[in-house]
Amino acid sequence: MNPSNTSVLLIYTGGTIGMIENAETGALENFNFEQLQKHVPELQKSNCSIDSYQFDPPMDSSDMEPEAWRKLVRIIYDTYERYNGFVILHGTDTMAFTASALSFMLEGLSKPVILTGSQLPIGVLRTDGKENLMTSIEIAAAQDKHGNPLVPEVCIFFENHLMRGNRTTKMNAENFNAFRSFNYPILAEVGIHIKYNYSVIHTIQEKQELKPHYLLDTNIAVLKLFPGIHENVVAATLTIDGLRAVVLETYGSGNAPRKQWFLRLLREASTRGIVIVNVTQCSAGTVEMERYETGYHLLESGIVSGYDSTTESAVTKLMFLLGHGYSPEEVRERMARPLAGEITL
């Protein structure tokens, strides 16, 4: 059901989808968002009302940071009652970080927030941007027979797949099929028809008010293990001034070296109140620290499991929890339970 009285707010942050080639230099430049109608005349045929908001100036997604996330949350909160859904046009490089952050910052969300973009600019003949944009708008406006939104959560739509935002990661810089949700089923598959996987889409038990959150603490580091990693590298990371949390990217199901210096540094950091979250370097799968002796040593050192979380989700969830002033122990406890469907226990 997509009645003609549905309305969607299109928020253009920047990114490849909104770029056009400079005829003189050949470089890609952001064009004024008002030109979108010219490049996507199909927007006129949409059976819902579409308004737009443009970041000025547009942001390359490599420059995306918490202040921009706060801006997005403010825009959605301030216009929440006026629209049935929201579509955010965003560069692909940090899209999974933004989607993860918004899933935590928009507590009580009961409307679709769909992030999308493209690998080729919208003005290019073979662009994937038109299809991604038009389908995202259709999903954002989609309602059931009772007028309830079909997908009331933060999602990424890319190349025929609708995915939960905080389960998604960019895994290809070349192909149109750039994103994957390795540890959670896709929410919808798009072909001739849009086939929704209702059993895995967030359901609203009772009407909630949207509660926006703006507090984030970015005193976080990501430490990726590799064979031969030097003690000085680990020590330097864990003693960064002001550091409050570390996402530790380990091997396989959460394994790490058993060297005494390594475990000692982790134990000392945990004792100082630094929250260390164990996520796997593998694309798919989950951390099981009780499975092997190497993982068990991490558990004994005060490391908490990130379960099947993506690195993007773990980083933004830590920012969110630390920003709200929770103690290290409270952060560890909250990391071990899902806030917005981001982990499977």
Side-chain angles (χ1 to χ4, degrees), residues 87-123:
V87 173
I88 299 172
L89 299 183
H90 194 291
T92 57
D93 287 346
T94 58
M95 189 186 291
F97 283 98
T98 297
S100 296
L102 293 182
S103 74
F104 304 124
M105 297 169 77
L106 293 167
E107 183 183 349
L109 181 70
S110 59
K111 296 181 180 183
V113 174
I114 315 296
L115 285 88
T116 194
S118 66
Q119 295 285 67
L120 284 175
I122 204 102

Side-chain angles (χ1 to χ4, degrees), residues 306-322:
Y307 298 93
D308 57 351
S309 174
T310 63
T311 295
E312 296 92 331
S313 179
V315 166
T316 53
K317 186 176 179 181
L318 282 169
M319 287 182 185
F320 174 79
L321 293 174
L322 293 170

Side-chain angles (χ1 to χ4, degrees), residues 78 130 317:
D78 289 345
K130 284 187 183 181
K317 186 176 179 181

